[in-house]
């Protein structure tokens, strides 16, 4: 490619099986085994081969368990990665929570990431793409650099309807879930990183926070994240590849710097977990799914200069100190610095 590649980013929502099964209304969700170690291994292997970095949105609840902490630490094997905050309990209705609950969801996970990974998270993504103002205020107060909770898709109403049709959630939780995926207004947001001003409270001034939406197809605004791609591939590999290639081309043509999103099930097949059969594209064989995800990741890396999200934002904003994630107040930070 003669032209210089444009900067893009890639992230992973490191959601565990319990979060999917709870969303599906399974009563036994809390007793489920973790698939994070298995998923992390395959993700590190696949991305490592392609020399790709990764931003990992981690759910604080999982950092109470040693094998999940080890799984999160295994991303150290990548050339570059960044831990980010994905709330404490992965409840996709933060917009219905009290301010104190929102603070606890964000700050507890922040502390657990510092304690166990020796790094300070600079980015946050709300579960279910929920992004109320109170979340932004807590992020600003804790000196976060970016939020990534917007999914500006035209398909939000359809995705929500499918979710409500499939889930066994009842009563209050079902009512709360009706605002999943950010509601209709999510589509009014830009399909590219932008800065937003967060009003200050008490003696705090207004702060700027970057918003990095999960990129959707320019114009049509249909999803282009990897779980949608593998879902398409479960019907037709050819169609999925054509769709993904078109998406990358449209992003280049329209000057849209993409930020694409992975989930652990993108690296798992039907042999891996029968509990996950309900999830889209979990009917694919593992080898077929990993092969098509690898194809897409390689194509992404060939088309763009793919970085962690904090590095994508830092390239847009010279005021950002990317190394502020190295929490020097913590002993584990020395090891993190030494490893760089
Ligand atoms: Zn999630």
């Amino acid at each position: 490619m003669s032209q210089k590649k444009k900067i893009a980013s890639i992230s992973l929502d490191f959601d565990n099986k319990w979060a999917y099964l709870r969303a599906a209304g399974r009563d036994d969700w809390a007793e489920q085994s973790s698939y994070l170690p298995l998923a992390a291994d395959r993700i590190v292997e696949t991305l490592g081969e392609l020399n790709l970095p990764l931003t990992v949105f981690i759910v604080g609840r999982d950092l109470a368990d040693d094998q999940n902490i080890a799984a999160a630490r295994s991303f150290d094997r990548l050339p570059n990665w960044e831990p980010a905050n994905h709330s404490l309990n992965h409840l996709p209705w933060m917009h219905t929570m009290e301010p104190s609950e929102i603070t606890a969801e964000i700050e507890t996970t922040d502390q657990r990431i510092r304690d166990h990974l020796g790094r300070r998270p600079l980015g946050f993504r709300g579960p279910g793409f929920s992004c109320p103002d109170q979340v932004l205020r807590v992020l600003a107060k804790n000196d976060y650099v970016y939020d990534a909770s917007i999914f500006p898709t035209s398909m939000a109403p359809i995705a929500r309807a499918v979710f409500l049709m499939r889930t066994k959630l009842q009563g209050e939780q079902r009512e709360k879930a009706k605002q999943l995926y950010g509601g209709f207004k999510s589509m009014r947001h830009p399909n590219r990183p932008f800065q937003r001003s967060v009003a200050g409270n008490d003696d705090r001034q207004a702060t700027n926070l970057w918003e990095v939406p999960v990129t959707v197809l320019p114009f049509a605004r249909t999803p282009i994240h990897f779980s949608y791609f593998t879902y398409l591939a479960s019907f037709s590999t050819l169609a999925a590849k054509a769709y993904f290639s078109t998406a990358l081309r449209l992003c280049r043509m329209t000057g849209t710097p993409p930020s694409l999103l992975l989930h652990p099930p993108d690296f798992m097949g039907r042999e891996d977990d029968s509990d996950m059969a309900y999830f889209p594209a979990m009917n694919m064989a593992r080898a077929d799914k990993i092969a098509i995800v690898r194809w897409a990741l390689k194509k992404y890396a060939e088309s763009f200069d793919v970085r962690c999200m904090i590095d994508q934002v830092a390239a847009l904003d010279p005021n950002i100190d990317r190394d502020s994630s190295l929490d020097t107040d913590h002993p584990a930070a020395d090891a993190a610095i030494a490893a760089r």
Side-chain angles (χ1 to χ4, degrees):
M1 200 176 293
S2 57
Q3 262 182 327
K4 196 165 172 271
K5 288 194 272 188
K6 295 270 193 305
I7 295 171
S9 67
I10 185 158
S11 65
L12 165 76
D13 284 1
F14 205 35
D15 301 334
N16 209 346
K17 185 160 123 181
W18 59 262
Y20 289 109
L21 296 187
R22 189 185 58 195
R26 279 263 298 255
D27 294 333
D28 57 347
W29 62 268
E31 292 103 61
Q32 295 301 320
S33 58
S34 169
Y35 60 45
L36 297 186
L38 169 141
D41 258 358
R42 290 184 193 162
I43 293 165
V44 167
E45 191 184 322
T46 311
L47 270 74
E49 237 175 63
L50 298 165
N51 207 24
L52 280 168
L54 187 63
T55 293
V56 184
F57 289 92
I58 299 172
V59 179
R61 185 186 162 91
D62 284 316
L63 292 182
D65 173 279
D66 286 344
Q67 61 159 349
N68 292 331
I69 294 169
R73 285 188 182 147
S74 70
F75 294 111
D76 281 339
R77 283 154 44 206
L78 287 174
N80 183 15
W81 82 285
E82 169 205 9
N85 188 331
H86 196 31
S87 85
L88 178 60
N89 289 299
H90 204 275
L91 293 166
W93 36 75
M94 289 186 87
H95 49 275
T96 67
M97 288 180 186
E98 295 296 323
S100 61
E101 250 183 299
I102 288 180
T103 303
E105 282 285 325
I106 295 172
E107 292 186 355
T108 310
T109 295
D110 185 279
Q111 192 59 49
R112 287 186 185 180
I113 289 175
R114 290 170 191 242
D115 288 348
H116 296 294
L117 303 170
R119 310 255 298 268
R120 183 167 88 78
L122 300 174
F124 174 82
R125 176 173 290 141
F129 305 106
S130 167
C131 182
D133 289 349
Q134 181 60 19
V135 164
L136 303 178
R137 279 194 286 269
V138 176
L139 296 182
K141 184 179 137 241
N142 284 281
D143 297 321
Y144 275 55
V145 172
Y146 68 93
D147 174 72
S149 309
I150 287 179
F151 182 32
T153 176
S154 58
M155 297 214 359
I158 300 167
R160 192 166 47 244
V162 170
F163 175 87
L164 289 169
M165 203 169 71
R166 289 180 171 207
T167 182
K168 295 193 189 78
L169 287 184
Q170 293 299 336
E172 194 193 356
Q173 293 200 324
R174 193 176 181 86
E175 282 308 305
K176 288 175 172 176
K178 286 187 177 166
Q179 282 196 51
L180 269 180
Y181 310 113
F184 281 100
K185 65 177 192 300
S186 63
M187 213 184 127
R188 292 205 297 266
H189 286 296
N191 188 26
R192 60 183 68 224
F194 62 99
Q195 257 183 317
R196 60 202 306 175
S197 177
V198 183
N201 39 15
D202 305 329
D203 54 347
R204 224 186 138 79
Q205 292 181 326
T207 335
N208 280 334
L209 193 68
W210 278 91
E211 188 65 60
V212 187
V214 176
T215 309
V216 291
L217 189 74
F219 309 117
R221 295 230 169 186
T222 45
I224 52 176
H225 59 71
F226 289 90
S227 298
Y228 188 74
F229 169 68
T230 54
Y231 171 68
L232 292 181
S234 69
F235 298 100
S236 162
T237 308
L238 266 176
K241 285 184 172 178
Y243 179 74
F244 191 77
S245 303
T246 304
L248 295 186
R249 200 163 48 242
L250 278 180
C251 285
R252 277 202 309 271
M253 274 168 53
T254 57
T256 306
S259 181
L260 298 190
L261 165 61
L262 292 159
H263 289 95
D266 299 338
F267 297 82
M268 295 166 61
R270 60 172 174 251
E271 307 93 320
D272 287 315
D273 208 316
S274 56
D275 283 329
M276 290 293 291
Y278 129 100
F279 199 73
M282 281 306 286
N283 56 345
M284 286 179 88
R286 178 202 305 149
D288 292 346
K289 198 192 260 183
I290 293 180
I292 187 122
V293 169
R294 184 184 285 120
W295 174 89
L297 287 169
K298 186 161 181 278
K299 179 131 192 107
Y300 192 31
E302 285 165 0
S303 310
F304 288 93
D305 173 359
V306 182
R307 303 185 180 185
C308 289
M309 292 185 70
I310 186 64
D311 292 326
Q312 183 183 32
V313 175
L316 294 167
D317 186 345
N319 298 318
I320 290 170
D321 176 13
R322 188 232 182 277
D323 286 340
S324 64
S325 75
L326 299 173
D327 181 14
T328 45
D329 293 340
H330 196 279
D334 296 336
I337 291 166
R340 277 161 61 87

